[in-house]
Every structure is written in structure tokens, then in C-alpha cells.
């Protein structure tokens, strides 16, 4: 089974415990608001990184990472974005994309700080 370490909204600060907590994962997924190239570099040097940019990320980060990632893992269609909303309250952009594409098996988003 593929193990994922998932986080978002680091805002330029990476808790040092993350590297210990994510030691056994196969990939790290970051759902946006990475906040600095240094955090992205540290994560990418540690494990393969799949990430999207968030609303606080700089133009350089927006060139490095996409707004949306559509991937497949273990037969599941996965969509990751930063500002997504939730069932019944999706962002207008996400609602439009949901109408134009097959529904993902897993929808991952950050921004809520939950």
C-alpha cells in the first residue's frame, strides 16, 4: 500500500517533527500555501513531493507548482487543489471543473486550516 504524508498551509515554516512523522511515507502531498522555496526544497529532498500552489505562494512558487494536480494512485483518481471547499459549498472554480471532468475518487484541498 502506498503511504502518503499529507499537509497544507505551512506558510513558510516546516515543523521539524514532520520529517520524523513522515519517515515511513512513499510521497508527500502538499495542498498549497507552502510559503517558501526552502520548505518546498526540504520536503522534495526528503521524499517525492506532489504539491499545488496556494493563495499566499509567490509567482516563483506558482511557476514551480500547478494550481491543480490530477494523479492516479492504486487505481484511484485524485484531484488536489488549494481552495476547494466541501460538498454543498465548493468554490465556483471547483464547481465548474467538477462539471467538466470525471469525478475524482479522492478530492484533497487545503486552505481551511482545519
Amino acid at each position: 500500500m502506498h503511504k502518503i504524508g499529507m499537509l497544507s498551509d505551512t506558510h513558510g515554516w516546516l515543523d521539524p517533527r514532520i520529517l520524523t512523522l513522515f519517515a515511513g511515507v512513499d510521497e508527500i502531498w502538499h495542498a498549497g500555501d507552502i510559503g517558501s522555496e526552502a520548505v518546498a526544497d526540504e520536503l522534495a529532498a526528503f521524499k517525492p513531493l506532489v504539491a499545488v500552489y496556494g493563495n499566499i505562494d509567490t509567482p516563483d512558487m506558482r511557476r514551480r507548482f500547478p494550481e491543480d494536480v490530477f494523479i492516479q494512485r492504486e487505481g484511484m483518481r485524485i484531484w488536489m487543489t488549494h481552495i476547494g471547499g466541501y460538498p454543498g459549498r465548493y468554490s465556483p472554480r471547483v464547481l465548474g471543473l467538477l462539471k467538466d471532468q470525471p469525478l475524482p475518487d479522492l478530492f484533497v484541498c487545503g486552505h481551511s486550516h482545519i
Side-chain angles (χ1 to χ4, degrees):
M1 176 183 274
H2 204 74
K3 293 183 181 178
I4 306 299
M6 191 176 307
L7 69 164
S8 73
D9 297 277
T10 48
H11 293 264
W13 182 76
L14 187 63
D15 187 319
R17 296 176 291 181
I18 291 294
L19 300 182
T20 301
L21 291 170
F22 287 2
V25 306
D26 299 303
E27 288 182 315
I28 296 174
W29 295 359
H30 197 300
D33 279 0
I34 300 166
S36 75
E37 294 277 344
V39 167
D41 292 343
E42 186 172 0
L43 291 171
F46 182 61
K47 297 283 180 169
L49 176 64
V50 177
V52 295
Y53 71 76
N55 56 294
I56 67 129
D57 289 316
T58 64
D60 286 341
M61 294 290 281
R62 289 169 186 242
R63 282 188 287 279
R64 182 172 175 180
F65 299 106
E67 184 173 16
D68 299 286
V69 167
F70 299 92
I71 55 175
Q72 287 204 3
R73 297 292 184 272
E74 297 189 11
M76 294 183 63
R77 292 180 319 277
I78 301 153
W79 174 14
M80 182 168 57
T81 194
H82 182 60
I83 300 175
Y86 52 89
R89 301 256 346 229
Y90 291 113
S91 75
R93 187 185 75 82
V94 165
L95 266 178
L97 289 171
L98 282 170
K99 293 175 185 173
D100 294 338
Q101 319 196 41
L103 290 176
D105 298 303
L106 179 63
F107 180 57
V108 177
C109 57
H111 191 67
S112 67
H113 291 239
I114 294 173

